[in-house]
Amino acid sequence: MGKVRVRFAPSPTGYLHVGGARTALYNYLFAKQNQGTFVLRIEDTDLARSTEESINGVLEGMEFLGLTWDEGPYFQSKRLEYYKEAADKLLAAGRAYRCYCTPEELDQMRKAALERKEDPVYDGRCRHLTEEQRAELEAQGRTSVLRFKADNEGETSFDDLIKGQITFDNKQIDDFVIWKSDGMPTYNFGVVVDDALMEITHVIRGDDHVSNTPKQIQLYHALGYPVPKFAHVPMILGEDRTRLSKRHGATSVTQFRDEGYLPEAMNNYLALLGWSYDDSQTLFSMDELIEKFSLERVSHNPAVFDIQKLQWMNGVYIRDMDIDQLYIRVLAQWQKAGFLSENPSEEEAVKAKAVLKELQSRVKLLNELDEAAYYFFQDEVRYNQAVVEKILFKPGVADILSHLLNELLQLKEFTEENLEPIFKATIEKFDCKLGNIMQPVRVAVTGTNVSPSIYPVLTLVGRARTCQRLRDAVEMIKANEKGE
RNA sequence: GCCCCCAUCGUCUAGAGGCCUAGGACACCGCCCUUUCACGGCGAAGGCACCGGUUCGAAUCCGGUUGGGGGUACCA
């Protein structure tokens, strides 16, 4: 095998969706594994859809996932001269011709064919137009497109690296358009010219291109280009088993990034969506994926995107991360939330890391870290009213909290070791269970009944804030008693 | 309609004729750990779409049915 060259060729739709991301990933892995070249090419021949903004969406997604390309990005809109040259070649060789049919006429022809229960393929009526007829049509002001004179006899087949041999009857292939009246090449034409000129050896792309492949192969032949190998990756579906789209919720990589997913988890999950190694292994680093990925083991059938599993995997990566790493990842968002200053002091960093250590096994997304951590860094506590009523507004709670408050104020050092005996003593004094003390304290200090272990929570919140919150809670309870 | 592809637990999958009374992971349920919630540990439940072949023997091979996906554009 010569030097491997693969490409990812998205059309700019405003964002990189997970299906595209997975295709990009597979291309990337295949390139790296074979010391090949990974080319990025933007297929922006649809003038209406291609904007700079939507191109950035794609690039951002790629960068987030760390799928760095070795060449490009190339833009088809800037390569018109190459397509023109190839089209002229076809025209000169008699393998292409001008067609003057209007979209409306074509539409009618299709409908008529369908009614006659025939295949809705173009009938090639403009194939044999004479010079005079052409001149006349042009005099009428008709615009024209360029059609490829397809081979309608025999079969076209190729050996797909994932699906195996696939054969098409050439009767299905009509004289398709290669050049649009707006002056742009069509997709099928652009890909072929570019893949050939860029010397792409392996075309790894979505399943939805299978039926385009025979057309493209005919084009390769007509143009005298060598035909690359093809590998068609099955689609990703939503829960309802239809093609994954926006209405299934988050599908864009940047959106996942904004929701707190890690690129490592995304890559790992996406790699496994349609590919498996030996099935006892589910966690793969990028290096392992590069080493172990293979097209042969890519599944033949479409896969349903399972957000739950992605979420679980993200949690695994968060848990496995060392605290310094986690701190770096969360720094910006915590600064934005006001938990950390612009240039955090050593003291701030130490505290933040200690908080992260407590929270690490309790979140699945980076974003959850904001809500889970705010009470360590801010004075105000957001009380969950239902929980307050259930746990704080119970007889005797005010006494316990008041007692605890006094004890805590007298403590020499506000440490976990010193906290424990106080709680133990309080159990005895009030003759109750640990839970009867812990839970009210938890609610008073965190505003809710769910938090990390109480001793670390208290020490990290600090004596001042802890005591203040205990006082506030006692008052809240008393106010409630009066009100009733 | 026509063409192409596909078919193992709810989901992602292992399985390439006997190793399968079908294995793993997520989700779900139960138990343990535990001051709460997570994490962790243990366990349960759950599937070869159907019908015919081939074979001593089929989840695995063949045919059909059904079901799903994709395509059928001057979109990519």
Side-chain angles (χ1 to χ4, degrees):
Chain A
M1 200 190 301
K3 189 160 169 13
V4 165
R5 289 177 60 83
V6 297
R7 84 317 193 260
F8 175 54
S11 58
T13 49
Y15 60 95
L16 180 66
H17 61 92
V18 292
R22 189 189 55 172
T23 303
L25 209 214
Y26 287 3
N27 272 286
Y28 174 87
L29 296 176
F30 189 77
K32 293 293 157 209
Q33 180 175 75
N34 295 289
Q35 285 91 44
T37 304
F38 178 41
V39 178
L40 178 63
R41 183 176 73 225
I42 307 294
E43 311 229 317
D44 56 349
T45 52
D46 183 350
L47 266 13
R49 275 199 286 181
S50 304
T51 64
E52 193 178 331
E53 202 185 335
S54 51
I55 290 163
N56 285 338
V58 173
L59 300 187
E60 241 181 80
M62 298 279 289
E63 277 157 20
F64 171 66
L65 293 177
L67 304 178
T68 48
W69 52 93
D70 306 303
E71 263 182 40
Y74 294 109
F75 294 90
Q76 290 195 318
S77 59
K78 291 180 185 154
R79 296 170 53 81
L80 257 27
E81 53 190 304
Y82 299 107
Y83 315 126
K84 189 84 183 48
E85 195 179 318
D88 287 343
K89 197 168 148 190
L90 249 25
L91 221 34
R95 286 305 304 270
Y97 60 90
R98 298 209 164 276
C99 167
Y100 297 86
C101 299
T102 64
E104 293 73 35
E105 285 168 349
L106 292 168
D107 203 42
Q108 275 179 12
M109 282 158 59
R110 260 191 298 275
K111 277 182 187 147
L114 240 24
E115 257 169 52
R116 277 178 272 124
K117 296 205 193 273
E118 286 171 19
D119 291 342
V121 296
Y122 179 66
D123 61 9
R125 62 177 59 179
C126 291
R127 247 193 199 204
H128 305 292
L129 255 28
T130 63
E131 278 303 323
E132 293 76 47
Q133 287 171 311
R134 285 228 298 273
E136 163 145 18
L137 286 161
E138 267 168 43
Q140 285 174 19
R142 287 220 184 196
T143 55
S144 67
V145 300
L146 226 47
R147 281 185 186 273
F148 176 62
K149 200 177 279 182
D151 180 4
N152 309 114
E153 315 245 298
E155 300 178 325
T156 298
S157 76
F158 59 99
D159 194 27
D160 193 279
L161 260 21
I162 292 171
K163 294 170 181 287
Q165 180 97 1
I166 299 176
T167 304
F168 288 84
D169 192 327
N170 285 346
K171 278 201 274 291
Q172 296 292 323
I173 301 170
D174 64 357
D175 289 353
F176 56 92
V177 174
I178 58 175
W179 204 276
K180 302 183 274 184
S181 57
D182 68 358
M184 297 296 266
T186 59
Y187 162 75
N188 274 317
F189 192 60
V191 242
V192 170
V193 174
D194 276 338
D195 284 342
L197 261 33
M198 293 176 188
E199 299 183 294
I200 300 303
T201 55
H202 301 255
V203 173
I204 304 168
R205 69 204 336 182
D207 219 349
D208 46 341
H209 292 295
V210 172
S211 45
N212 287 321
T213 308
K215 292 180 180 176
Q216 293 170 13
I217 288 175
Q218 285 207 10
L219 241 20
Y220 278 102
H221 290 325
L223 256 5
Y225 296 144
V227 182
K229 297 211 179 301
F230 295 98
H232 288 100
V233 179
M235 300 276 92
I236 296 178
L237 310 179
E239 275 178 287
D240 58 359
R241 301 207 70 92
T242 63
R243 194 185 183 137
L244 192 66
S245 70
K246 272 156 282 184
R247 66 193 166 72
H248 291 103
T251 56
S252 113
V253 168
T254 42
Q255 198 174 338
F256 281 109
R257 178 247 273 148
D258 295 342
E259 288 177 12
Y261 288 88
L262 300 164
E264 303 85 319
M266 293 290 301
N267 283 326
N268 192 156
Y269 176 72
L270 253 19
L272 245 30
L273 194 64
W275 170 81
S276 65
Y277 178 58
D278 62 4
D279 211 61
S280 61
Q281 187 176 355
T282 48
L283 267 18
F284 295 86
S285 68
M286 206 56 159
D287 285 343
E288 267 180 301
L289 287 175
I290 290 169
E291 185 196 327
K292 293 172 172 170
F293 178 76
S294 68
L295 291 171
E296 295 74 46
R297 287 190 69 90
V298 171
S299 164
H300 292 189
N301 37 0
V304 174
F305 187 79
D306 183 5
I307 188 82
Q308 299 231 58
K309 192 159 184 175
L310 206 212
Q311 231 166 65
W312 162 78
M313 198 171 273
N314 207 64
V316 171
Y317 275 91
I318 287 177
R319 270 176 258 134
D320 288 352
M321 208 180 284
D322 67 57
I323 295 296
D324 290 334
Q325 254 300 313
L326 190 55
Y327 174 71
I328 290 166
R329 303 266 190 150
V330 91
L331 185 57
Q333 82 186 57
W334 275 11
Q335 283 171 324
K336 198 175 164 202
F339 300 169
L340 293 169
S341 57
E342 206 158 313
N343 287 304
S345 64
E346 184 59 27
E347 196 186 348
E348 279 182 281
V350 167
K351 177 180 170 184
K353 286 177 191 179
V355 169
L356 284 172
K357 203 159 170 42
E358 294 302 324
L359 261 19
Q360 189 170 213
S361 69
R362 284 165 233 267
V363 297
K364 290 196 164 71
L365 305 178
L366 251 25
N367 281 16
E368 293 169 0
L369 251 13
D370 290 0
E371 177 63 24
Y374 84 91
Y375 57 79
F376 290 107
F377 301 101
Q378 294 176 167
D379 287 335
E380 291 303 309
V381 174
R382 299 192 282 270
Y383 293 100
N384 178 320
Q385 206 46 47
V387 170
V388 165
E389 277 168 32
K390 191 177 143 209
I391 292 172
L392 250 29
F393 295 171
K394 272 205 317 209
V397 168
D399 290 343
I400 293 174
L401 294 184
S402 300
H403 171 76
L404 227 35
L405 174 58
N406 278 327
E407 296 291 316
L408 294 183
L409 285 169
Q410 285 164 35
L411 249 188
K412 265 211 222 81
E413 275 184 304
F414 199 73
T415 62
E416 289 184 36
E417 301 79 66
N418 291 348
L419 248 26
E420 195 179 337
I422 291 180
F423 277 74
K424 291 274 155 69
T426 307
I427 299 174
E428 283 177 30
K429 181 171 162 64
F430 288 89
D431 190 27
C432 62
K433 287 188 193 144
L434 197 50
N436 294 323
I437 297 171
M438 297 291 187
Q439 284 304 78
V441 171
R442 172 170 283 117
V443 175
V445 175
T446 72
T448 151
N449 57 347
V450 172
S451 87
S453 298
I454 200 71
Y455 301 135
V457 165
L458 297 190
T459 56
L460 286 168
V461 165
R463 171 149 35 193
R465 278 178 176 148
T466 296
C467 292
Q468 185 54 49
R469 289 173 194 178
L470 253 20
R471 266 192 291 270
D472 291 347
V474 171
E475 261 176 47
M476 211 156 58
I477 296 167
K478 289 191 173 147
N480 176 261
E481 281 166 354
K482 259 189 218 154
E484 271 175 12

